[in-house]
């Protein structure tokens, strides 16, 4: 049976990526797509790379009849997302790609996002969408909150280490390098080709990046006590990719074992042989995560490096993986596309 | 029934692209892969983006048992290719991605490639692999010669116009912009990132590019008389893509109609609405060709622009499309992947 | 004696490039800089790469006292430029980088820019700023109109050929490849890194680019009769550079001679040895133009390729070269910086 | 008086950068240039961006008459450099850009470079070329050893902090992002555009990068006791630039003050206002270093970020700055070029 899918906010990069992935999904059919400012247009006019696909015309959300819809991907900006989801019929399953339902504590949400949450009940209900760590909850969930793309990358490197108790929780540092599509299709001077190409820099330095809210929440939960990591993201001149270089204290072999054991049965997480480490180029366009471990020359220090594609595994790929679970389908359906190289 | 596939020369970009595409093909199984200098290695060591796939270890060609093989993709350098293919069992179907069997006239081969052809019988037998124009011959062929990637792009723009007799055959100019992966994974100074990024230039200027041999052969055949186009390729700082800006003389509406009619039933060729024109970015990673037509301000002059991905539709995608036909399968199997954007 | 310089519209790329060049100029001092929306800011806040320079604070134009100013570079948008320049004191020399004074015929201006010119007297007075072809007029001018960057590139390739009468004037085609900084620091979706990087396409196809107004005016003037060229620009993923591939009919040796003779004494124009052709990468960041000539395999067809840096020789470098002449200084002052490679 | 300059190994990127800088130097004349494999060629054939300059033909080193030479820039590979410099006349001043004379301890040299040093006397004599910290020694030196480009970047961020005693010496981490020209013009697969563009990754992970030898030597010397930092470099898809994100423990205000005071009189080192941080894009093509300081949300942790151009300040610019001092000229001569943006 084919599942009827709606995509809200289809005119952004994550919306387009969802369409790209669903295009080869055997059991999903896109029946409605919204894009407020571009309502009335065909998707092929907004994203010409999708022009070969038969897709519904873009409409405003209020024009969508949700009665025949099984699952909604909500790719709207945060704050907008909670307002829209509140009004959706309870019969519809929802994967939200915004930041609105990632943080369970209303105070934390307000701290990081600057205003009170307007849908506290839904916030309570939402399941955090890091598939490999919330699989069972996701299967039964009505509302799944997609994780931050940076937050996902750091967690793939660190969660098994916290769970296994093999690292010093007081001394975790994530130096992350992100490609530009994570900032979306927004008209900002610093995202222009002329400003970004051939240069790179840090941003949100000092612990101000909102994904730290997710790190705090998830690592503290995993550890059973407050854990606060140091986190500095950088913007590099590439379109897709996140590389998290994670510095921890512990025994390199124990760190490696914890990762290797944790992910041995995970289709999308590849732990490289000890001493090797990944490149974003090798996961681009795919749902795979590559993780490497290297012991530093300084005793007791270990470097864990994780790479993924922010639009796929870090966002739309993860969303589809969760949707598959929520709909009772094979978790990997539509997601086995190999990375595009070069 | 699953077809048994061998890939010769798997350590180049076209070899890797074949693997990427076959990875989602429902009816093909790769049973052997060769790479002379990398024999003994796993494909994941040569191309880490393919490490999640279960693939045969790379071997030397002479180690392959072809008795169980249905079809061979030969992604070897030209000259090598003819020597290897000559020795393959006659029971095996072959798609050759090199230049060795594109030109039917031995003199033309010698003129463009600088030495006599060493497998004249095979040269005679080979079918030119521009699928949309040789579909029937390909279905019955044992040996199909993949086209040059630039040659394919120019032909998609021009063949229907020559066939329909709507342009002046004495005044055709192809100004082509090619991305760097077309030059392969070869260690040349001008292919270094530092040399290429942020700059661009023409190459093979003046009519010396070997793909002109294909243009001459195919356009003359289509026209029934000698046709010699002017052709200047350029190298631009991107990894995938070919954009051919083709300047012709004729009536713009007639030109548009000839293209629209010719491609109306072709899955992979999209003729954009009159006046629109394509970007390489919108076909990247896919088997699609986008073609646009614009009338110039100067009466009687028309610009036809065609874009495709040199590694997919220009090479490995085309090869797979032909293999599907040769094996009696659905022509589009494994090829409906949407372009990767951004 | 040091000349007092004002820069109007200093917050755009051409403004920043002027500052970069004047920074090493021995005889110019920047005494005032305007940037309406950024008035009150330091230049180092708008362009951090200039933070080491002592520069006047950005102000609104009306705050500038022009009484002590010798020369104004006007880097404002077209239409704005004519309104501002009209009000400047007549004692001040002006180099305008906008399109406002490039076209001498008011009807042509209105045709290409969509509204009547509001400063017809100034338009009459302005000298077209292609230095090597208007040197004497520029020396005596009060108002010099900087050329379009694409228009400059095409003219460097073609003017000597028209002057020498060595090409067919009815069959000239310019296929041009431009980097993105030519579009300025404007917030447009198609200028985003994610949209532009790794892809390329034509724009203003069919003869709609405004620089055609300059080609028509200048080539017709040089020929003494109407000349209308075909012109298709493309946008490539690089920040600086223009490459014009110019297709003409004539004798290659005659074409080469015309260029070599014309430019033999020009400091900034390098004619490469016959058969060689340029790369934008080799002129980046400099005031040099490289020109190459290649005979095509088709008899009577010649390819002339010209490369320059759109922000330097195509805009701010040209402006400074003209200002040097207007102020009676060495034409090359501040402009001998070698290209930056890689 | 003009100083006579020879450049050995002129066909690499640092050689070309030296020529670019010296081209605008008022008091230097290049009288000889060597390039073994390219002997006999003009520099303009090897680097067409320098074709407008009058330069000596490339020769083999043994063809150079050093009797009229005041100073030699030696841009040869390490190991070769020591063999060549040993044979130069003692009357010639030398700035060596290789790694051969950076480490004072022969055992350290052997440890990091894998073989014994062959010119121990010279090694003893050589002055470490980090100008701002060895200015007086450099003025009187005959042989100055250019620093590693990564090593320079890290030291600009850290030396003042070690000197001022404001950070914990046991907990220093340098996560560095380097552009590709640092790897030189060498034919390696991982330096190809197709391999590097659109992807990024770490390299020399775990403390194996040779520049650690310099960090160990210099930081230990400054501290008066052994200091061993953690250092992970990454390769990003850009041509020029190094960004060092340095993680230290201390008081942010004290860290900032130590940097601001140390560099207040340094022409080429800009300490940004507290809380701001640099981009490689803003120093590209120049001899400037930009340094920023940000306090982390975690008390006692501070992030110091330094950016420079690896070919200029990290290599050839530094070499010229040192040569100026050795020749008794203005330290900044030929080096005040503003960065090229965008």
């Amino acid at each position: 049976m084919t599942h009827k899918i709606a995509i809200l906010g289809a005119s952004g990069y994550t919306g387009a990526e969802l369409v790209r992935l669903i295009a080869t999904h055997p059991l999903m059919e896109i029946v409605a797509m919204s894009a407020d400012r571009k309502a009335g247009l065909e998707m092929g006019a907004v994203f010409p790379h999708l022009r070969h696909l038969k897709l519904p015309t873009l409409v405003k959300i209020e024009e969508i009849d949700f009665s025949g819809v099984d699952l909604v991907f909500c790719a709207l900006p945060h704050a907008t997302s909670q307002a829209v989801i509140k009004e959706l019929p309870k019969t519809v399953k929802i994967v939200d790609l915004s930041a609105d339902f990632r943080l369970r504590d209303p105070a934390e949400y307000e701290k990081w996002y600057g205003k009170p949450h307007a849908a506290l009940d839904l916030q309570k209900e939402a399941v955090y969408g890091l598939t490999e760590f919330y699989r069972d909850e996701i299967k039964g969930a009505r509302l799944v909150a997609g994780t931050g793309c940076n937050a996902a990358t750091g967690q793939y490197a660190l969660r098994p280490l916290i769970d296994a108790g093999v690292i010093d929780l007081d001394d975790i540092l994530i130096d992350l390098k992100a490609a530009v599509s994570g900032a979306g299709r927004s008209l900002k001077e610093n995202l222009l080709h002329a400003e970004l190409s051939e240069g790179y820099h840090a941003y949100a330095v000092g612990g101000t990046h909102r994904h730290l809210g997710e790190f705090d929440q998830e690592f503290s939960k995993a550890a059973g006590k407050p854990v606060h990591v140091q986190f500095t993201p950088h913007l590099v001149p590439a379109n897709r990719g996140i590389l998290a270089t994670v510095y921890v204290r512990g025994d390199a072999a124990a760190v490696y074992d914890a990762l290797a054991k944790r992910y041995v049965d995970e289709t999308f997480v590849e732990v490289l042989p000890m001493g090797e480490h990944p490149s974003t180029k090798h996961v681009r366009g795919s749902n795979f995560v590559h993780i490497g471990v290297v012991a530093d020359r300084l005793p007791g220090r270990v470097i864990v490096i994780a790479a993924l594609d922010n639009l796929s595994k870090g966002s739309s790929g993860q969303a589809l993986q969760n949707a598959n679970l929520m709909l009772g389908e094979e978790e990997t359906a539509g997601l086995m596309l190999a990375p595009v190289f070069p």
Side-chain angles (χ1 to χ4, degrees), chain A residues 156-157 259 263 269-272 276 278 289-293 304-307:
Chain A
Y156 282 118
L259 289 162
Y263 293 125
V269 188
E270 294 268 322
V271 179
L272 312 188
E276 295 186 20
V289 185
H290 286 188
I291 301 179
V293 177
V304 183
I305 307 184

Side-chain angles (χ1 to χ4, degrees), chain A residues 261-336:
Chain A
K261 275 183 195 141
R262 177 60 187 82
Y263 293 125
V264 66
D265 292 326
E266 292 292 347
T267 302
F268 295 118
V269 188
E270 294 268 322
V271 179
L272 312 188
M274 181 72 181
E276 295 186 20
H277 51 91
S279 167
T280 59
K281 185 102 171 182
H282 298 141
V283 293
R284 201 168 48 130
S286 84
N287 205 49
F288 293 94
V289 185
H290 286 188
I291 301 179
V293 177
V294 185
D296 195 72
R297 65 166 187 161
L298 302 183
R301 305 206 193 179
V302 186
I303 302 121
V304 183
I305 307 184
L308 54 73
D309 180 320
N310 58 298
L311 285 181
S312 282
K313 185 59 171 167
S315 187
S316 301
Q318 180 199 72
L320 182 55
Q321 195 176 347
N322 289 334
N324 283 334
L325 290 173
M326 294 161 78
L327 295 167
E329 301 298 343
E330 188 68 37
E331 183 176 334
T332 61
L335 290 168
M336 293 307 292

